[in-house]
């Protein structure tokens, strides 16, 4: 299995060259993931009783909102840098927690404007988000940017730049597998016609738990101070809390 992973990473370039353009493999996976998520939303929309075209338009708006929000926060953080190097600044990856919150506010406002039920839309988007997460995990695997802790398991990957004596957990592959499994589970829940909001609540709990566990076998990020958890683990805990509260509320009001 380890040999298979190494062979795949050697065969797939980190950067694709199309004439004078250089496209990072992560960007390719992200684009494919977005297209796949939007395509799946056409099916999940019908499963929750929404018009496919409306959910497709809402998905496109969400993508644009995320891009615009992240760029605005990036520019606001360094206006002088943007004025000097606007193209370089806009090309930087910068989707932070603040960008997520700002994007969410814009998306909720759009859904209210279009008179779309928030819980139904969230349920329909839950498996689509898992598809996107799987493709982003593959992108990180091809780029080698998500490094795991050392392991003796036979499927451990060789540490980049090492002599092959140290093997690491393929965390990105774990994440892709977990995301695909979550897609299967969520699609099954949608077919059961559960109460509005239940599917996305379960997705938050299960997805948050998976993210928390995966971070435990990932190499820790550099942080100042004595933080109890990594930033990704705090986000995972938040997702689990929100999902758990939603499940409790929906069951009590059933």
């Amino acid at each position: 299995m380890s040999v298979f992973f190494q062979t795949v990473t050697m065969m797939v370039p980190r950067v694709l060259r199309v004439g004078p353009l250089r496209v990072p493999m992560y960007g390719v996976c992200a684009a494919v993931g977005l297209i796949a998520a939007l395509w799946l939303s056409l099916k999940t929309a019908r499963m929750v009783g929404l018009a496919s075209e409306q959910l497709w338009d809402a998905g496109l708006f969400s993508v644009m909102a995320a891009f615009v929000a992240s760029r605005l926060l990036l520019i606001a953080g360094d206006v002088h840098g943007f004025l000097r190097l606007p193209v370089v600044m806009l090309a930087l990856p910068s989707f932070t927690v603040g960008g997520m919150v700002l994007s969410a506010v814009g998306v909720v406002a759009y859904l209210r404007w279009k008179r779309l039920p928030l819980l139904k839309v969230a349920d329909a988007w839950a498996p689509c988000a898992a598809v996107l997460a799987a493709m982003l995990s593959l992108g990180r695997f091809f780029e080698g940017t998500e490094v795991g802790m050392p392991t003796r398991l036979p499927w451990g990957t060789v540490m980049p730049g090492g002599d092959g004596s140290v093997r690491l957990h393929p965390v990105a592959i774990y994440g892709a597998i977990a995301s695909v499994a979550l897609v299967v589970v969520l699609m099954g829940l949608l077919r059961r016609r559960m109460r509005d909001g239940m599917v996305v609540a379960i997705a938050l709990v299960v997805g948050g738990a998976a993210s928390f566990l995966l971070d435990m076998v990932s190499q820790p990020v550099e942080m100042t101070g004595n933080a109890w958890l990594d930033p990704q683990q705090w986000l995972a805990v938040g997702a689990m809390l929100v999902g758990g509260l939603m499940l409790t509320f929906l069951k009590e009001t059933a």
Side-chain angles (χ1 to χ4, degrees):
M1 186 65 72
S2 175
V3 175
F4 172 75
F5 289 154
Q6 300 302 323
T7 303
V8 171
T9 53
M10 291 177 62
M11 292 178 61
V12 179
R14 293 187 178 183
V15 178
L16 296 180
R17 295 184 179 181
V18 183
L21 299 177
R22 295 186 178 184
V23 183
M25 195 62 198
Y26 181 84
V28 174
C29 290
V32 173
L34 283 173
I35 294 172
L38 289 171
W39 174 82
L40 183 61
S41 71
L42 297 176
K43 179 178 178 62
T44 58
R46 295 190 295 269
M47 296 174 72
V48 299
L50 295 174
S52 300
E53 297 79 6
Q54 287 182 311
L55 201 61
W56 174 276
D57 292 341
L60 290 178
F61 177 86
S62 301
V63 173
M64 291 186 292
F67 177 80
V68 172
S70 62
R71 299 304 98 179
L72 289 177
L73 291 178
L74 181 64
I75 295 171
D78 190 359
V79 177
H80 295 293
F82 173 73
L83 294 176
R84 291 196 304 268
L85 299 170
V87 177
V88 175
M89 286 282 291
L90 292 177
L92 293 175
S94 62
F95 194 55
T96 61
V97 176
M100 293 172 60
V101 173
L102 188 58
S103 302
V105 171
V107 171
V108 170
Y110 175 87
L111 295 177
R112 295 296 298 270
W113 176 48
K114 291 294 185 177
R115 299 176 183 264
L116 291 172
L118 298 181
L119 292 181
K120 282 184 178 290
V121 171
D123 285 342
W125 274 348
C128 304
V131 168
L132 177 58
M135 291 305 303
L136 293 179
S137 293
L138 287 180
R140 289 190 290 270
F141 170 70
F142 292 135
E143 282 198 334
T145 54
E146 191 165 8
V147 184
M149 296 292 288
T151 180
R152 295 183 179 179
L153 295 174
W155 56 78
T157 57
V158 177
M159 184 173 64
D163 57 2
S165 60
V166 178
R167 296 184 178 275
L168 308 174
H169 280 286
V171 180
I173 295 297
Y174 296 163
I177 294 173
S179 296
V180 171
L182 185 58
V183 173
V184 175
V185 171
L186 296 178
M187 291 298 290
L189 293 176
L190 283 179
R191 293 188 181 93
R192 292 175 58 182
R193 303 288 184 177
M194 303 178 70
R195 188 175 183 185
D196 293 348
M198 293 291 288
V199 174
V200 68
I202 293 172
L204 288 171
V205 173
V206 177
S211 179
F212 189 93
L213 294 175
L214 286 174
D215 196 73
M216 295 180 67
V217 294
S218 303
Q219 291 192 16
V221 299
E222 295 183 2
M223 296 181 295
T224 58
N226 297 320
W228 291 354
L229 302 173
D230 286 349
Q232 180 175 331
Q233 289 181 317
W234 282 115
L235 290 175
V237 169
M240 287 187 287
L241 287 175
V242 172
L245 290 173
M246 288 181 64
L247 287 174
T248 301
F249 176 78
L250 291 172
K251 288 181 179 180
E252 289 181 353
T253 56

